[in-house]
């Protein structure tokens, strides 16, 4: 085979063919070009810089924000026979010195470095003494100040372009909006680099969004019903909620662990390690957890609070099903979430345009929750990639019923308008709903609001129905939560048309009985005998992983074991044909694996 990139893919990684944009990106880098790569989480970004680093002369320097995960990346590469190392502050100085020397001697294919470390004099001196194949800047959206993961250390990275103008640079991210993309290109000095944009669709993820009632119970039910024993991640907005929710799940027999930035760092590391190495752990976490976590068999990602933006939501849910097998993204949300997020924005300091931008993102996220059309269509539309309805989200599987909510909307809008006209003041959701429902609360009485013409005009609907209507009107931008004013409501430029009866408002009927895709991963659909074989291989993998002190999926992923269980190869040559088994792994584990199969077959005969 003459093409060195394809050769590396097949020999080292054990895969047959490149995915979508990989080949073009890899060729462009090998030829010395810079690139900006946008691919969804799980799309296969790592190969885009790993293969050029192997093919080009010198070492590929990978800038990665999370030191806690460098070890796993280096372990995975070492298993493949790639010479990889990392430099970070968790390391003994003697080990760091050895790594530096190995780089200078030209002994490394890949070197992972944290951004703050990279820009130290010591590190720059070291880099000047060796040969650099390329710079890869992973999680490049961290350079965006208006984004959802800003890391100030990333701003310094534009320096690389000035210092090493001839070394190709590749920036990679899963955050795809046009504005983030432009900002990354500007800040990293990649203005002339071509953008490689892969499809952002993750067809194996099924989206399911429900209205909050008793959220912890809903979550428990979801896990018990659809993902019992599966590995998953549950995202919460606050540290307290992380701890409460983890304890609640544990008390109901779910193998849950907490993770947030307030836990002692050794406990955090321990929980993360268990999540990566054991099977079936549910990590309950703040968004501090997950970036760089490459565990392929996460079967669900649940959000029990509304995320702040579609970008964040998509990145977090993308951590499910990296192995391409069916996975679920579950979200529970309520009006309270919307109000609370807006309040957090209004309490943060920042320029007015920045705050407005944040508020807009919350409303776009709410729009996803309230949509009556395909969720995936809306998500991909947000990233500028139109598609047909997907058939694998709750609204596609069971289209929501709609009703004409024009009159209800008019009542709500008039209440906001009257209050503003007669009191010169805006109020929050709870008070407005009380007025509509004719509740004589203390607040109503002390403001004499029972005298308003709108008092009691909405007594026919329940609190929950009003909350639902309000959320949808916010999502349709007919009402707005004022960012400067602590969650109070006001009219917008679109309100008038509704009030005058020029616009009909169709609303979705809330129902929490939603259709779910219940297809299970391949390894669970094997014929009974192959299934038994798979289980045997899984035990072998667990023992081997333990002996090597790496997570099981670094030895072989489930897809590879599934194929082995189905085909039962008898020779090393046959084994080497299976996807995910490259030369080094064949040499390390081939004989062992064949012996394990042999033993299994012997047992069958007896
Ligand atoms: P990302 O960094 O974009 O989230 P990864 O680089 O971790 O994604 O890749 C996701 C998974 O897909 C990994 O398990 C990886 O080994 C696998 N993968 C990537 N490219 C290919 C390919 N061409 N063929 C088969 N599997 C691939
Ligand atoms: Zn759909």
């Amino acid at each position: 085979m003459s093409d060195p990139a394809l050769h590396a893919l097949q020999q080292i990684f054990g895969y047959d063919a490149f995915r979508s944009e990989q080949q073009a990106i890899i060729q462009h880098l090998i030829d010395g070009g810079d690139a900006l790569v946008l691919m969804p989480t799980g799309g296969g970004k790592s190969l885009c810089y790993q293969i050029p680093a192997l093919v080009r002369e010198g070492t590929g320097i990978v800038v990665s924000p999370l030191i806690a995960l460098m070890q796993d990346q280096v372990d995975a590469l070492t298993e493949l026979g790639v010479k990889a190392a990392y430099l970070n502050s968790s390391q003994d100085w003697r080990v760091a010195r050895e790594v530096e020397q190995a780089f200078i001697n030209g002994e490394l294919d890949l070197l992972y470095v944290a951004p703050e470390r990279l820009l130290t004099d010591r590190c720059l001196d070291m880099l000047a003494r060796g040969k650099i194949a390329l710079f890869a800047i992973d999680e490049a959206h961290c350079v965006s100040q208006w984004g959802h993961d800003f890391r100030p250390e990333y701003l310094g990275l534009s320096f690389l372009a000035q210092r090493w103008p001839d070394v190709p640079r590749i920036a990679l991210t899963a955050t795809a909006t046009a504005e983030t993309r432009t900002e990354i290109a500007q800040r990293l000095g990649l203005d002339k680099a071509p953008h490689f944009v892969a499809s952002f669709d993750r067809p194996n993820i099924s989206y399911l969004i429900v209205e909050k009632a008793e959220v912890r119970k809903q979550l428990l039910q979801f896990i018990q019903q659809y993902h019992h024993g599966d590995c998953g991640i549950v995202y919460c907005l606050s540290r307290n909620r992380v701890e409460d929710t983890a304890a609640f799940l544990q008390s109901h027999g779910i193998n849950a662990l907490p993770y947030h930035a307030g836990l002692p760092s050794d406990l955090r590391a321990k929980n993360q390690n268990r999540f990566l190495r054991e099977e079936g752990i549910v990590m309950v976490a703040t968004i501090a957890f997950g970036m760089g976590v490459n565990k392929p068999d996460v079967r669900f990602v649940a959000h029990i609070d509304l995320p702040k933006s579609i970008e964040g939501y998509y990145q977090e849910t993308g951590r499910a099903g990296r192995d391409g097998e069916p996975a679920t993204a579950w979200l529970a949300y309520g009006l309270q979430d919307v109000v609370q997020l807006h309040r957090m924005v209004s309490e943060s300091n920042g320029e007015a345009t920045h705050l407005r931008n944040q508020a807009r993102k919350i409303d776009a996220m709410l729009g996803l929750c309230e949509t009556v059309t395909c969720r995936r269509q809306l998500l991909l539309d947000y990233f500028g990639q139109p598609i047909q309805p997907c058939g694998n989200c709750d609204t596609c599987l069971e289209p929501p019923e709609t009703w004409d909510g024009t009159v209800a909307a008019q009542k709500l809008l008039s209440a906001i308008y009257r209050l503003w006209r007669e009191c010169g003041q805006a109020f929050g959701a709870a008070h407005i709903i009380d007025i509509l429902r004719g509740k004589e609360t203390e607040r109503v009485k002390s403001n004499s609001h029972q005298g308003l013409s709108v008092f009691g005009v909405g007594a026919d609907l329940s609190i929950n129905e009003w909350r639902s209507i309000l959320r949808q009107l916010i999502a349709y931008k007919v009402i707005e939560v004022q960012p400067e004013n602590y969650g109070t409501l006001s009219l917008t430029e679109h309100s008038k048309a509704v009030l005058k009866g020029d616009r009909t408002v169709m609303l979705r009927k809330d129902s929490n009985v939603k259709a779910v895709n219940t297809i299970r991963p391949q390894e669970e659909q094997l014929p009974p005998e192959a299934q038994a074989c798979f289980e045997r291989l899984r035990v072998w993998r667990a023992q081997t992983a333990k002996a090597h002190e790496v997570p099981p999926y670094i030895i072989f992923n489930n897809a590879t074991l599934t194929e082995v269980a189905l085909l039962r190869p008898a020779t090393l040559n046959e084994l080497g044909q299976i996807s995910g088994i490259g030369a080094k792994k064949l040499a390390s584990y081939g004989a062992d694996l064949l012996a394990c199969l042999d033993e299994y077959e012997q047992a069958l005969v007896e």
Side-chain angles (χ1 to χ4, degrees):
M1 201 172 309
S2 59
D3 178 356
L6 189 62
H7 184 77
L9 179 78
Q10 296 176 338
Q11 282 301 306
I12 298 173
F13 295 91
Y15 297 137
D16 298 337
F18 287 112
R19 279 186 192 159
S20 67
E21 297 287 312
Q22 281 176 334
Q23 184 156 27
I25 298 164
I26 289 169
Q27 197 55 53
H28 182 75
L29 243 80
I30 290 177
D31 294 342
D34 295 335
L36 178 52
V37 169
L38 298 104
M39 257 189 212
T41 315
K45 285 186 283 299
S46 333
L47 286 186
C48 297
Y49 56 82
Q50 288 169 347
I51 290 184
L54 288 165
V55 172
R56 284 177 65 89
E57 196 193 333
T59 306
I61 307 294
V62 186
V63 183
S64 172
L66 287 174
I67 60 172
L69 289 149
M70 288 183 184
Q71 172 90 52
D72 280 301
Q73 276 149 1
V74 168
D75 283 347
L77 287 164
T78 308
E79 283 293 328
L80 294 167
V82 174
K83 287 169 281 171
Y86 62 82
L87 282 174
N88 69 38
S89 52
S90 72
Q91 223 162 10
D92 184 88
W93 66 270
R94 269 167 300 222
V95 178
R97 202 157 279 177
E98 277 168 29
V99 170
E100 288 169 1
Q101 199 54 52
F103 166 76
I104 293 164
N105 296 347
E107 293 161 7
L108 296 178
D109 298 316
L110 282 152
L111 176 60
Y112 286 77
V113 191
E116 61 279 10
R117 174 102 179 195
L118 183 74
L119 298 170
T120 60
D121 289 339
R122 183 178 177 94
C123 193
L124 293 173
D125 281 348
M126 173 198 78
L127 290 177
R129 293 170 61 198
K131 173 98 184 137
I132 304 168
L134 57 87
F135 287 106
I137 300 161
D138 206 3
E139 313 284 2
H141 62 280
C142 291
V143 79
S144 158
Q145 266 169 305
W146 304 138
H148 56 102
D149 269 332
F150 175 57
R151 292 179 185 240
E153 317 85 84
Y154 264 64
L155 289 177
L157 295 175
S158 61
F159 175 74
L160 298 178
Q162 297 154 23
R163 178 80 186 258
W164 284 279
D166 299 328
V167 176
R169 288 172 306 129
I170 172 172
L172 308 104
T173 176
T175 296
T177 56
E179 50 184 343
T180 328
R181 208 190 295 178
T182 315
E183 208 183 338
I184 294 172
Q186 276 170 1
R187 291 190 194 274
L188 293 178
L190 287 168
D191 312 81
K192 298 202 185 73
H195 296 191
F196 293 89
V197 186
S199 162
F200 265 67
D201 193 9
R202 295 286 313 280
N204 59 316
I205 299 180
S206 187
Y207 299 93
L208 177 57
I209 301 184
V210 303
E211 216 196 332
K212 252 188 215 185
E214 288 178 276
V215 71
R216 292 191 317 191
K217 271 197 196 153
Q218 290 171 291
L219 172 69
L220 180 66
Q221 216 170 34
F222 163 72
I223 297 176
Q224 285 175 333
Q225 203 167 353
Y226 301 110
H227 287 288
H228 205 71
D230 281 350
C231 169
I233 305 175
V234 176
Y235 282 112
C236 313
L237 207 54
S238 74
R239 297 174 182 185
N240 282 342
R241 263 168 95 68
V242 165
E243 300 200 5
D244 290 352
T245 309
F248 174 80
L249 292 178
Q250 281 160 7
S251 73
H252 287 83
I254 308 278
N255 206 351
L257 296 174
Y259 188 105
H260 61 70
L263 292 176
S265 64
D266 52 337
L267 181 61
R268 244 184 304 156
K270 186 170 152 234
N271 287 354
Q272 174 167 299
N273 252 322
R274 288 193 55 195
F275 175 80
L276 295 176
R277 279 153 216 245
E278 294 175 27
E279 304 215 32
I281 301 259
V282 173
M283 189 69 109
V284 184
T286 57
I287 54 169
F289 177 76
M291 207 199 285
V293 170
N294 291 328
K295 190 169 167 47
D297 58 348
V298 176
R299 293 268 71 83
F300 70 91
V301 168
H303 285 86
I304 63 167
D305 296 302
L306 190 70
K308 289 180 200 151
S309 67
I310 288 187
E311 291 95 314
Y313 170 75
Y314 206 61
Q315 188 142 18
E316 285 140 30
T317 54
R319 292 171 190 144
R322 277 172 192 257
D323 54 8
E325 295 292 327
T328 319
W330 184 89
L331 160 67
Y333 76 107
L335 180 60
Q336 197 50 42
D337 289 331
V338 184
V339 172
Q340 191 189 346
L341 286 181
H342 275 289
R343 186 167 299 156
M344 280 164 59
V345 169
S346 66
E347 283 167 2
S348 68
N349 319 318
E351 285 172 46
T353 44
H354 182 43
L355 296 186
R356 252 197 310 279
N357 203 8
Q358 307 267 83
R360 224 184 52 214
K361 290 189 175 192
I362 298 168
D363 291 341
M365 188 61 220
L366 178 64
L368 173 71
C369 299
E370 299 296 353
T371 184
V372 289
T373 61
C374 171
R375 308 232 192 245
R376 191 183 314 271
Q377 207 170 28
L378 196 145
L379 282 166
L380 289 175
D381 227 37
Y382 190 81
F383 297 123
Q385 300 183 341
I387 55 154
Q388 292 299 309
C390 75
N392 189 20
C393 70
D394 54 0
T395 52
C396 278
L397 290 168
E398 189 152 320
E401 277 181 63
T402 54
W403 62 289
D404 185 342
T406 312
V407 173
Q410 286 167 340
K411 289 177 183 171
L412 191 47
L413 293 173
S414 327
I416 295 171
Y417 177 71
R418 290 264 155 239
L419 281 165
W420 178 255
R421 260 254 320 253
E422 293 178 23
C423 314
Q425 196 185 338
F427 290 84
H431 186 60
I432 292 171
I433 292 175
D434 283 338
I435 291 174
L436 286 167
R437 301 190 67 239
K439 294 278 163 213
E440 300 206 10
T441 62
E442 285 311 310
R443 188 139 184 226
V444 165
K445 284 189 269 183
S446 64
N447 287 289
S448 307
H449 284 163
Q450 66 273 47
L452 293 170
S453 58
V454 288
F455 188 76
V457 295
D460 54 329
L461 298 176
S462 70
I463 292 193
N464 280 340
E465 283 166 322
W466 278 116
R467 285 181 182 151
S468 166
I469 296 165
L470 180 51
R471 284 194 323 255
Q472 297 186 65
L473 294 177
I474 296 170
Y476 292 145
K477 300 188 172 49
V478 172
I479 291 178
E480 130 184 285
V481 183
Q482 295 185 318
E484 311 84 15
N485 205 357
Y486 297 101
T488 58
L489 302 175
S490 63
L491 302 187
T492 72
E493 54 188 323
H494 306 294
S495 312
K496 203 166 168 190
V498 176
L499 271 170
K500 282 173 58 189
D502 293 343
R503 176 171 161 187
T504 311
V505 185
M506 291 307 289
L507 299 176
R508 75 184 279 157
K509 245 188 212 156
D510 277 311
S511 145
N512 270 340
V513 189
K514 290 194 168 143
V516 182
N517 189 342
T518 53
I519 302 175
R520 295 293 301 168
Q522 248 188 80
E523 74 258 19
E524 292 179 26
Q525 295 181 48
L526 289 166
E529 213 212 315
Q531 180 83 54
C533 182
F534 178 85
E535 290 309 325
R536 177 68 194 91
L537 295 171
R538 204 209 289 264
V539 172
W540 169 83
R541 178 177 67 179
Q543 289 161 346
T544 312
K546 202 155 190 190
H548 287 234
E549 296 180 351
V550 294
Y553 60 84
I554 285 187
I555 307 281
F556 288 121
N557 65 22
N558 288 351
T560 302
L561 289 196
T562 303
E563 220 178 312
V564 175
L566 270 175
L567 300 177
R568 303 250 198 100
T571 64
L572 281 176
N573 198 11
E574 283 170 37
L575 193 60
Q577 307 296 313
I578 288 175
S579 176
I581 307 189
K584 171 80 190 306
K585 286 197 175 173
L586 190 64
S588 312
Y589 304 117
D592 237 26
L593 202 53
L594 290 179
C596 178
L597 283 175
D598 226 29
E599 191 190 301
Y600 172 77
E601 291 187 7
Q602 286 301 324
L604 282 185
V605 175
E606 280 156 22

